[in-house]
Amino acid sequence: MRMLQGLPDLTLAPGHWVTRELVAWPLDAVPVGLDPHELVWRLHWSSDGGIDPTAREPVAWNTADLRIDDDGLPEPVLADRPHLRGCLALRLPAPAAAEAERVLRGQLVLSLHAPSGRLVNAGSLQLPGVLDELYADAGNARLGLTWAGGAPTLRLWAPTARDVSLRLWHPGDDLHAPGRELPATRTPDGCWSVSGDPGWRGARYRWQVTVYAPSGRRVVTNQVTDPYSVSLTVNSTHSVIVDLDDPELQPAQWLSAPQPRLAHPVDQVTYELHVRDFSIHDKSVPEPERGSFLAFSRDSLGTRHLRRLAEAGLNTVQLLPVFDNASVEESRERQQRPAKAELRAHPPDSPTQQRLIRLTVVGNPYNWGYDPWHYQAAEGSFCSSLASAEGPGRVHEFRTMVGALHGMGLRVVLDQVFNHTASFGQHTKSVLDRIVPGYYHRLNPLGFTEHSTCCPNVATEHAMAQKLMVDSVVLWARHYKVDGFRFDLMGHHSRANMLAVRAALDALTPERDGVDGSAVTLFGEGWNFGEVANDARFVQARQGNLAGTGIGTFNDRLRDAVRGGGPFDDDPRGQGFGTGLFTEANDAAVNGDGYAQHDRLLADTDLIQLGLVGNLRDFWLPSNSRRAFVRGDELEYHGQPAGYAAEPDEVVNYVDAHDNETLFDALTLKLPPQTSMADRVRMNTLCLALATLGQAPVMWHAGTDILRSKSLDRNSYASGDWFNYLDWTMTDNGFGAGLPPQDDNGAKWHYFVPFLADPAMKPAADDIERAHQGALDLLRLRASTRLFRMASGHAIRTKVTFPVSNTAQQPPGVIVMRIDDRVGEPVQRQWAGLVTVFNATPLAVRVRVPGLSSRFTLHPVQVAGHDPVLKRARADGEWASVPARSYAVFVEPR
């Protein structure tokens, strides 16, 4: 343990108070060479801080001696907190345990003393375990704002607070004034509440919480917004009392438009979109509404684009975070961004554009929003005016957007970020930690907040953090008619968290709640890393752990195999199946020699084929790389089983997203520089096809159908409107906007300059139009038959084969997938089956396909489609002929 001038550092908290009677203390916090049983273990507590564990007698604090329980920590404790296995179990004396509720309201120190009385170590305690036990009833509390008889009640969970009151400002009051102070009433579950009258509607409020803050080892009085705020003032300075059931906040279309339903979750085809990106450059939207929720309700170039996609088969729009975030200036009058004319004045490979954007970091109107401040309130910067951002207008405009999207036949999925908050401790934008210090965030073995998510990690394994997560999701589903949720870094949540969310949604019924919660889809990032990796603290909601839940995870296996390389490569030119690996080498050293490329192409082909069958763990695949039939979970991906799903809806296939380079930018970097733009467009469509025509839900990054570029920016979260350009006129894809921001991209600028400086790398309007038409045909193909969207693993295992895989007929860079609906129960009645050939090579191929016959013809969508090259595809007996850089679907009538 760290010592300061011979004294223990009490900012460290290696111990854990886990139940009323038990404290866990790690063995490595016992000085080497000392027998724990020979030490005196002493708990000190003080209402005001100031504990000095070296003192022979307590001055202004209390003490109690603890004893070691040789039975160790009970299994129920270890089941909840497996990372405490191996810790000593210390039992509190009954009098101290009996007054635990009072003890927890002040400073706590555990000290270790030699028999002589000499202090040998001391440290503070982490408290979530005992708080969860003592205040378990709070799980049933209705926190935040509730209404009865037209009057509001406000309720806050603050079990360690000394005192809580409400500060209230009525409409028209000066918010810089102290406000009216109203005492709150505490209940045994640790909640504090204040009841008001109907005149409070529209009032502003803050909670005033007096609490001991371990980070400063002192008692503080914090004025803080409500973590359950449903609306806020501009820049979130105050919470606002709003009745979500108020008819004036219910737009007509939101009330009347039915929520689009999926026949099965596997049918989900998602367009991932940022609210501001959607309309900030769209001149067909009235200027005040550009970048706002309301833009979705206008007849504009953007909404017409969405309607075209919806008519072709898109059924879901996934919005990047729309909850209140801590980064964006919400007042449009205070927002700063460089003038477009100044940005346009510089060359396409210049570093100046990104420098100009960096100068506006204060007052920046742009951020992806992955920095949560208030989980249950809409972000004010997406409102059309200052007045709308100030209170109930947020609710009305958000619902207007949802109603408009439903009116287009599009479901609405929200991106949720419960794995971290924007701030912690006593920071002004910290909410949770200033109410219950040390509870909501995940702490490391020394008691410091974990930051493996790049921000302060939220510990949703703690009961009330899970409750905040569940209550927030239910609120968006019930009060806003949201149709699905995508969970950021979902692997930092537990499987139990996600099942609790699922159960709470399933309990929503049209009769009681106005929505069918069982129709709400759930998916997220099932990555496995950080302090929770490999189920270190709980069974994670990660890839491989969600079989049977119906909760999906993004398929990075297919993504990387199609694109090549990985998102964190030093050299971004690593090729994959869809970017020319082996078949059209770009001569970058990162790809290795021809032998290495050939071997990697075989492995990539296997991963893509597995992705095409929903990444099923028990699908037997004729592996090209292993030269044998292998199960999906026997293939490897970075040391993990490649196949992990039990059912196809447990995977989401994709080839680009808001993170990392767009698909067009990846193709720019990875295809040989001499590749023509016409061929780049074909490869863009082919890569999308590999994700779209597989047996799993699909996600497209917004603009991927129109060759969207971010000028090679791999992390555009704060790169402004300039680098996040999205043009519905389809005349400019955004490429050549300058070198992308240096912080995340500077180490690769030397790769980028030649591409950005080359005018041949920027597509013309005709190229963008061809890409868009090709994408529409893809959506039509997927929507045309259930054979691309089979709802069960059994049907997939029964009907899907790869007849040339691991045979002499398998050309490198080609995948042949057959779906035979004559085997087993038919899933549709239109076709007896189909054969899809994906040809990623620069040459036309003629491949022998067992089972193919002259009865097979090119799919009607492709016959009527906009690609004249594709129409040359033929099935001649057992031979399929497919043009270069193309995919063809051959169907057999019944």
Side-chain angles (χ1 to χ4, degrees):
M1 294 290 291
R2 186 166 64 189
M3 305 288 281
L4 299 176
Q5 297 180 347
L7 299 176
D9 182 358
L10 298 184
T11 62
L12 306 184
H16 300 255
W17 193 346
V18 291
T19 70
R20 181 184 288 275
E21 299 87 7
L22 280 176
V23 169
W25 187 265
L27 276 171
D28 61 8
V30 177
V32 176
L34 296 181
D35 183 349
H37 291 82
E38 295 180 358
L39 300 177
V40 176
W41 298 82
R42 187 161 294 153
L43 180 68
H44 311 257
W45 65 95
S46 165
S47 60
D48 299 312
I51 292 174
D52 177 5
T54 64
R56 293 283 180 171
E57 297 292 336
V59 179
W61 61 88
N62 301 285
T63 65
D65 287 354
L66 285 68
R67 64 177 179 83
I68 294 177
D69 185 336
D70 289 325
D71 289 335
L73 296 173
E75 279 305 316
V77 170
L78 294 175
D80 286 342
R81 292 170 173 79
H83 59 294
L84 299 185
R85 193 170 294 277
C87 286
L88 292 169
L90 304 172
R91 193 163 289 278
L92 276 73
E99 56 177 328
E101 290 85 351
R102 183 177 68 83
V103 172
L104 286 163
R105 297 179 197 174
Q107 184 185 15
L108 284 162
V109 173
L110 188 101
S111 61
L112 293 66
H113 302 263
S116 64
R118 176 177 61 88
L119 177 72
V120 296
N121 204 354
S124 299
L125 299 179
Q126 301 181 30
L127 306 180
V130 68
L131 291 176
D132 279 349
E133 181 190 68
L134 297 183
Y135 299 104
D137 288 348
N140 299 317
R142 295 184 66 190
L143 299 180
L145 176 60
T146 56
W147 293 83
T153 294
L154 298 159
R155 186 171 287 105
L156 180 77
W157 187 66
T160 60
R162 313 288 190 80
D163 185 55
V164 174
S165 59
L166 190 78
R167 292 280 182 175
L168 190 73
W169 293 261
H170 286 286
D173 288 352
D174 180 3
L175 295 182
H176 295 98
R180 177 184 171 197
E181 185 174 2
L182 300 162
T185 301
R186 181 185 170 113
T187 49
D189 58 3
C191 293
W192 302 74
S193 63
V194 176
S195 293
D197 58 55
W200 284 22
R201 190 182 300 263
R204 279 65 171 150
Y205 70 98
R206 287 174 174 165
W207 289 105
Q208 183 166 291
V209 181
T210 301
V211 66
Y212 178 80
S215 58
R217 287 193 288 165
R218 61 189 176 90
V219 175
V220 296
T221 297
N222 292 320
Q223 278 199 24
V224 62
T225 47
D226 192 338
Y228 276 66
S229 297
V230 294
S231 196
L232 298 150
T233 58
V234 171
N235 287 327
S236 311
T237 60
H238 297 70
S239 304
V240 180
I241 296 176
V242 170
D243 183 358
L244 295 178
D245 292 327
D246 185 342
E248 293 186 4
L249 301 181
Q250 299 175 349
Q253 188 174 34
W254 179 78
L255 283 173
S256 62
Q259 289 182 255
R261 295 291 297 264
L262 300 174
H264 190 276
V266 79
D267 295 337
Q268 184 166 275
V269 183
T270 301
Y271 206 55
E272 185 195 37
L273 184 61
H274 186 272
V275 167
R276 185 175 175 91
D277 290 352
F278 174 67
S279 61
I280 195 64
H281 298 290
D282 190 346
K283 293 182 180 178
S284 65
V285 175
E287 197 281 330
E289 296 177 7
R290 292 177 199 164
S292 78
F293 296 130
L294 288 186
F296 289 87
S297 66
R298 303 307 178 204
D299 180 18
S300 66
L301 293 176
T303 54
R304 290 172 209 163
H305 193 96
L306 289 181
R307 286 191 183 97
R308 279 197 303 276
L309 293 171
E311 288 165 3
L314 186 80
N315 53 41
T316 302
V317 166
Q318 174 191 312
L319 298 172
L320 268 68
V322 292
F323 51 73
D324 181 57
N325 74 68
S327 294
V328 176
E329 172 58 58
E330 292 188 340
S331 170
R332 293 198 174 198
E333 289 77 8
R334 298 176 193 161
Q335 291 175 353
Q336 300 179 42
R337 52 179 174 159
K340 287 183 181 178
E342 187 175 9
L343 294 167
R344 288 171 179 154
H346 300 282
D349 60 339
S350 170
T352 304
Q353 294 93 328
Q354 58 92 31
R355 289 184 192 135
L356 292 171
I357 289 168
R358 281 175 59 88
L359 292 175
T360 62
V361 66
V362 176
N364 190 348
Y366 192 92
N367 197 279
W368 281 346
Y370 290 90
D371 42 5
W373 198 353
H374 299 90
Y375 287 107
Q376 298 182 9
E379 165 59 24
S381 68
F382 295 144
C383 291
S384 62
S385 67
L386 200 63
S388 297
E390 187 76 20
R394 300 183 186 220
V395 178
H396 190 278
E397 293 197 0
F398 187 94
R399 285 172 167 170
T400 298
M401 174 187 67
V402 173
L405 287 167
H406 285 169
M408 298 179 212
L410 292 169
R411 303 168 64 254
V412 178
V413 167
L414 300 188
D415 200 331
Q416 299 292 283
V417 189
F418 296 110
N419 64 83
H420 66 257
T421 55
S423 298
F424 70 113
Q426 286 293 303
H427 192 278
T428 56
K429 292 187 177 181
S430 170
V431 176
L432 301 172
D433 227 11
R434 293 200 293 149
I435 296 170
V436 193
Y439 176 81
Y440 282 99
H441 290 95
R442 189 174 299 119
L443 307 179
N444 72 10
L446 295 180
F448 297 123
T449 302
E450 293 279 11
H451 282 73
S452 59
T453 64
C454 299
C455 298
N457 294 5
V458 174
T460 49
E461 63 270 28
H462 301 161
M464 296 304 284
Q466 174 179 285
K467 177 177 172 61
L468 175 61
M469 178 181 182
V470 172
D471 289 350
S472 299
V473 168
V474 168
L475 179 137
W476 289 110
R478 185 175 185 270
H479 289 286
Y480 290 91
K481 300 186 181 180
V482 167
D483 308 287
F485 298 91
R486 178 258 194 203
F487 292 85
D488 182 67
L489 301 184
M490 187 171 68
H492 270 56
H493 301 308
S494 69
R495 178 184 163 106
N497 289 154
M498 297 306 301
L499 291 177
V501 169
R502 181 73 272 169
L505 289 170
D506 288 348
L508 300 178
T509 66
E511 297 76 20
R512 185 181 65 246
D513 306 289
V515 297
D516 180 359
S518 67
V520 174
T521 52
L522 304 178
F523 58 98
E525 293 181 308
W527 316 141
N528 182 28
F529 70 97
E531 73 282 355
V532 301
N534 300 316
D535 303 329
R537 297 211 178 193
F538 43 74
V539 177
Q540 295 164 262
R542 61 172 171 87
Q543 294 170 334
N545 279 356
L546 293 170
T549 65
I551 299 169
T553 57
F554 287 105
N555 185 0
D556 50 350
R557 281 80 162 146
L558 180 138
R559 177 202 69 194
D560 288 353
V562 172
R563 290 166 63 105
F568 306 110
D569 292 349
D570 293 332
D571 185 338
R573 297 173 298 169
Q575 293 180 285
F577 182 95
T579 56
L581 179 63
F582 183 70
T583 63
E584 198 175 10
N586 62 17
D587 297 329
V590 67
N591 291 306
D593 62 20
Y595 295 104
Q597 291 186 42
H598 181 264
D599 290 347
R600 195 161 67 255
L601 179 59
L602 294 179
D604 284 351
T605 302
D606 286 348
L607 292 175
I608 294 169
Q609 291 180 159
L610 186 60
L612 288 167
V613 294
N615 244 55
L616 296 178
R617 60 189 182 187
D618 57 357
F619 185 90
W620 285 90
L621 182 77
S623 166
N624 297 280
S625 61
R626 298 275 291 274
R627 299 297 183 191
F629 272 89
V630 297
R631 278 174 48 112
D633 54 9
E634 293 174 345
L635 283 176
E636 273 197 16
Y637 172 81
H638 297 312
Q640 302 264 342
Y644 58 81
E647 297 292 342
D649 59 356
E650 295 165 9
V651 164
V652 178
N653 282 341
Y654 73 115
V655 289
D656 69 343
H658 68 275
D659 281 323
N660 310 312
E661 297 89 349
T662 68
L663 178 57
F664 176 87
D665 285 346
L667 289 165
T668 298
L669 293 165
K670 296 170 185 291
L671 287 172
Q674 67 273 19
T675 306
S676 70
M677 186 53 64
D679 286 340
R680 291 176 184 275
V681 171
R682 301 195 68 78
M683 294 306 287
N684 192 87
T685 304
L686 177 72
C687 290
L688 283 178
L690 289 164
T692 306
L693 300 182
Q695 305 290 335
V698 182
M699 188 192 77
W700 288 6
H701 180 222
T704 196
D705 58 306
I706 53 174
L707 307 181
R708 184 184 186 180
S709 169
K710 297 181 181 179
S711 203
L712 307 181
D713 192 349
R714 64 169 300 275
N715 190 19
S716 66
Y717 75 100
S719 300
D721 301 322
W722 181 252
F723 285 100
N724 288 283
Y725 190 70
L726 188 53
D727 174 31
W728 302 123
T729 69
M730 298 196 299
T731 58
D732 185 348
N733 79 327
F735 188 78
L739 283 164
Q742 187 171 13
D743 286 351
D744 281 302
N745 304 278
K748 300 176 184 177
W749 275 3
H750 63 288
Y751 294 117
F752 296 170
V753 167
F755 294 104
L756 293 171
D758 184 353
M761 294 294 172
K762 188 172 179 69
D766 287 348
D767 301 312
I768 296 171
E769 176 66 25
R770 279 199 306 275
H772 181 54
Q773 294 300 333
L776 292 175
D777 284 345
L778 257 179
L779 293 173
R780 295 179 185 115
L781 274 169
R782 180 179 171 89
S784 71
T785 174
R786 175 59 62 184
L787 293 176
F788 286 127
R789 309 173 272 119
M790 289 187 283
S792 77
H794 173 74
I796 294 167
R797 289 188 297 271
T798 302
K799 298 174 185 293
V800 182
T801 58
F802 296 94
V804 305
S805 186
N806 192 30
T807 71
Q809 286 77 42
Q810 171 81 62
V814 175
I815 290 174
V816 179
M817 175 177 68
R818 184 181 181 190
I819 305 175
D820 190 347
D821 202 26
R822 292 169 301 192
V823 180
E825 281 292 315
V827 299
Q828 48 82 66
R829 303 203 174 277
Q830 186 176 14
W831 312 112
L834 60 82
V835 170
T836 306
V837 180
F838 302 93
N839 177 16
T841 76
L843 300 173
V845 296
R846 188 168 184 264
V847 59
R848 184 173 177 271
V849 182
L852 195 66
S853 73
S854 56
R855 283 174 47 80
F856 284 78
T857 58
L858 192 63
H859 194 291
V861 167
Q862 293 188 294
V863 171
H866 292 78
D867 186 350
V869 175
L870 264 181
K871 296 178 184 182
R872 299 202 296 263
R874 294 284 184 274
D876 181 13
E878 284 195 322
W879 293 89
S881 298
V882 179
R885 302 183 180 92
S886 301
Y887 72 96
V889 179
F890 302 101
V891 291
E892 180 185 15
R894 286 203 180 270

